[in-house]
Amino acid sequence: MVETSEPVTSADAVGVSANVTSPAVPHTLSQRIARFGVASGIGWLLDFCIFAVLVHQGLAPGLANAVGASAAVVWVFFFSVRRIFRYGGTSVHSRFLIYALYQALMIAAASVGVDSIVRVAGANALLAKALVTPLTFMANFFFMGWLTKYKNPSP
């Protein structure tokens, strides 16, 4: 494969476009989902460990979810923004603030969901957390794609 200095651009159905010069960079939707899955999986393990320890210590599942998920949000964003979504803009920190606000809403919703599953269905807290994970994963992937689709114009 011949490399050129021109960026390769590929638009995905979710508006996650690649702007890269290396053929090793994921630019198909399935490659991005897989790589985001690995990054999110590491974040989820961090989240889950914090969650499990806090629940074991007697903290309410909803609050424990908020604490663990907050740590995971920071990890996933800063790992993914350039490596997976190839954001080329200079405003990573302002994008993080937008992502953090989005995640505050998502974490609150997921925490209510976890708490409700535990209280209403009588499910184990760890199982309840596992049940909400696929929904939050896909929502986060699409939001990151949207958030990093456009880099800030050069001055």
Side-chain angles (χ1 to χ4, degrees), residues 27-102:
H27 60 274
T28 66
L29 180 59
S30 61
Q31 288 171 321
R32 293 227 174 164
I33 290 173
R35 287 190 64 173
F36 188 71
V38 171
S40 294
I42 293 168
W44 191 80
L45 287 173
L46 172 67
D47 174 4
F48 201 82
C49 288
I50 292 169
F51 174 80
V53 167
L54 293 175
V55 167
H56 181 73
Q57 294 296 319
L59 196 61
L63 186 54
N65 184 67
V67 174
S70 295
V73 162
V74 174
W75 154 257
V76 171
F77 179 84
F78 285 106
F79 183 85
S80 301
V81 69
R82 295 204 193 271
R83 286 179 186 89
I84 297 169
F85 293 96
R86 295 296 177 192
Y87 177 68
T90 57
S91 61
V92 171
H93 291 95
S94 64
R95 300 288 166 140
F96 177 72
L97 291 176
I98 295 167
Y99 189 68
L101 290 172
Y102 158 78

Side-chain angles (χ1 to χ4, degrees), residues 2-18:
V2 178
E3 278 193 50
T4 67
S5 60
E6 293 297 314
V8 176
T9 303
S10 170
D12 295 328
V14 296
V16 181
S17 63

Side-chain angles (χ1 to χ4, degrees), residues 85-135:
F85 293 96
R86 295 296 177 192
Y87 177 68
T90 57
S91 61
V92 171
H93 291 95
S94 64
R95 300 288 166 140
F96 177 72
L97 291 176
I98 295 167
Y99 189 68
L101 290 172
Y102 158 78
Q103 284 295 344
L105 296 172
M106 287 297 292
I107 291 169
S111 297
V112 167
V114 167
D115 227 27
S116 296
I117 293 169
V118 169
R119 283 186 292 109
V120 174
N124 174 284
L126 302 178
L127 174 63
K129 181 159 182 67
L131 290 173
V132 301
T133 297
L135 299 172

Side-chain angles (χ1 to χ4, degrees), residues 127-144:
L127 174 63
K129 181 159 182 67
L131 290 173
V132 301
T133 297
L135 299 172
T136 59
F137 170 81
M138 288 310 296
N140 294 342
F141 176 80
F142 288 121
F143 190 81
M144 276 291 282

